Amino acid sequence: MTDHAHDRDRLRTLEDAGFPLHSLSPEQREVLQGLSAEELTLLLGLKERLDAAEPEVQAHSEIAGGALF
């Protein structure tokens, strides 16, 4: 697989995980394309943990009117 194909795979993986790549600048997408395999795994793991915590954060936000966050 070529480096360019690896770059596309990284972006597709991030997009499939729910990262809003369409809202990023070309420069920001280029940074994500250059992630190492370890960095990609770390980023995906962090997003998974943040997504798992999302309902609790949303509930606090609704209760406190967003004052806590």
Side-chain angles (χ1 to χ4, degrees):
M1 189 177 288
T2 67
D3 286 341
H4 189 63
H6 281 292
D7 293 346
R8 281 195 318 268
D9 287 347
R10 284 185 192 97
L11 292 180
R12 178 170 299 264
T13 298
L14 290 169
E15 195 167 43
D16 289 348
F19 284 87
L21 299 184
H22 62 277
S23 66
L24 299 178
S25 71
E27 294 82 9
Q28 290 170 320
R29 284 191 297 277
E30 187 175 320
V31 168
L32 293 175
Q33 286 175 338
L35 292 176
S36 68
E38 294 82 11
E39 291 170 326
L40 181 61
T41 299
L42 176 64
L43 188 56
L44 292 170
L46 289 170
K47 179 160 187 338
E48 184 177 312
R49 290 169 54 192
L50 289 170
D51 287 350
E54 185 176 2
E56 183 179 337
V57 171
Q58 286 179 343
H60 285 284
S61 177
E62 291 170 11
I63 292 170
L68 297 176
F69 302 99

